[in-house]
Amino acid sequence: MSSIPHDQSSASITAASSGTVAAWLWALLGASVLAVVLLLARQASKPEATAPAAAAPVSTTAAVTAQGKPAATAPITDMDAEPLAGNPLPDYPDAVLEAGIEGDLIARLQIDSNGQVLAVSIVAHEGAQDPRLDDAAISALSQWRFHPAMRDGQAAPSVVQVPVEFRTGR
């Protein structure tokens, strides 16, 4: 009693074609998943190439023998010298402070393998270049102590630069 004619053959063709489309979609999905898994496995087997971090304090590398086998060695550790807590700050000379003289400087410290300062030199100035400020910075920084720099797991001499600010507002 329906006004829409039903044709049994067209209904079976529609069902068959939708089944074929579903099969193709499942096959496409399976192939995509397989491609992603293979890509991830390939990336995981490649050694990752990264640029060395400029500020990274610790790096670890594994030694390899001539036969291409890992050598039985401890990790190699490199670290820059780090100042110990409690190092004295430079005193602002009274006469310079009363005169309102301000200035910044950068001091270069040579550190031995025990973390003691061997030499201090002023390498840059900004603002006033009063020798009394230089002397105050050198006097305080000469007393500083450091965790020594580490090269290949051994304490090593190093050079560090320390900025010093002299401001009347402090």
Side-chain angles (χ1 to χ4, degrees):
M1 303 266 213
S2 169
S3 61
I4 302 175
H6 291 286
D7 183 2
Q8 224 27 311
S9 63
S10 68
S12 63
I13 292 174
T14 305
S17 65
S18 67
T20 304
V21 169
W24 278 104
L25 287 175
W26 279 110
L28 182 60
L29 178 63
S32 298
V33 168
L34 180 61
V36 168
V37 168
L38 291 175
L39 181 63
L40 290 174
R42 185 175 177 196
Q43 278 187 325
S45 67
K46 283 185 181 179
E48 191 172 321
T50 59
V58 178
S59 65
T60 306
T61 58
V64 177
T65 65
Q67 293 81 19
K69 297 179 182 175
T73 60
I76 299 171
T77 305
D78 290 345
M79 273 190 331
D80 293 330
E82 294 289 331
L84 296 177
N87 283 329
L89 296 176
D91 291 324
Y92 208 139
D94 290 335
V96 179
L97 180 60
E98 289 171 8
I101 298 172
E102 295 184 339
D104 299 340
L105 58 90
I106 297 177
R108 180 173 291 149
L109 285 63
Q110 293 180 4
I111 313 298
D112 69 11
S113 60
N114 294 319
Q116 298 202 11
V117 176
L118 297 176
V120 178
S121 59
I122 306 302
V123 295
H125 289 93
E126 187 173 312
Q129 295 186 20
D130 192 304
R132 295 172 292 183
L133 296 178
D134 293 356
D135 292 342
I138 291 170
S139 175
L141 295 174
S142 295
Q143 299 173 49
W144 278 28
R145 298 294 174 258
F146 289 79
H147 289 288
M150 301 295 283
R151 302 291 177 255
D152 297 328
Q154 300 293 318
S158 62
V159 175
V160 298
Q161 292 192 11
V162 178
V164 180
E165 296 179 346
F166 289 97
R167 298 278 182 261
T168 58
R170 69 171 193 175

